[in-house]
Amino acid sequence: MTGNTPGISELLTKIIDFCGKDLDYIFADGHSRSVGSDFLILELNDASTAGNFRPTVVFIATENSNDDFSGVLRNIVAGGILIYNENDENVANAVDSSENYFRKLPYAKPETNGNYLKTEIGDIPVNFDPKIMAHIDGARLFCQQFGIMEEDFYEGLASL
């Protein structure tokens, strides 16, 4: 995972923990946890470093970045998954020009109504920084890759 949106990795780990899934993580700020899981969230703040890895699932959570994501996209394992903000033109252009084979899961900023996230299952009470809120749908897609269904994701989100 790569991105410059502080807090999204922490949000993901809390929801995954809430849902009873094991995972290891290494955050860009040095915080880490190793429980021997098959899954690792690796938070990186620059795309050039992320290009050194061969991930299966990549979640790019950026705010209109100017980073070069070609190395990251080139190294996703064949048949892997990319979750990205379709409104970030730089990322969307890199995805469109990538020749690597991977599944593309675009997301956009969700609809809100005050402190409520509008979802298909109803309005969910939330109180997050707008920079995190912009990536909630991407976080949902990411958690689905760990077998966390939509209802469980929103339940975990509402518990935070």
Side-chain angles (χ1 to χ4, degrees), residues 4 60-67 69 84-95 107 135:
N4 61 4
I60 299 177
T62 64
E63 295 294 323
N64 299 317
S65 77
N66 292 319
D67 289 341
F69 290 98
Y84 67 100
N85 182 347
E86 67 186 355
N87 295 318
D88 184 321
E89 288 183 31
N90 184 45
V91 176
N93 289 338
V95 170
Y107 69 90
H135 303 286

Side-chain angles (χ1 to χ4, degrees), residues 45-77:
N45 286 333
D46 77 76
S48 61
T49 301
N52 294 325
F53 296 91
R54 300 232 354 117
T56 303
V57 179
V58 175
F59 177 18
I60 299 177
T62 64
E63 295 294 323
N64 299 317
S65 77
N66 292 319
D67 289 341
D68 177 10
F69 290 98
S70 60
V72 176
L73 302 179
R74 184 176 41 254
N75 287 336
I76 296 175
V77 298

Side-chain angles (χ1 to χ4, degrees), residues 127-146:
N127 190 17
F128 297 112
D129 180 299
K131 288 184 177 184
I132 291 176
M133 283 301 298
H135 303 286
I136 290 294
D137 197 40
R140 179 186 56 79
L141 293 169
F142 184 82
C143 286
Q144 284 179 343
Q145 308 316 305
F146 289 91

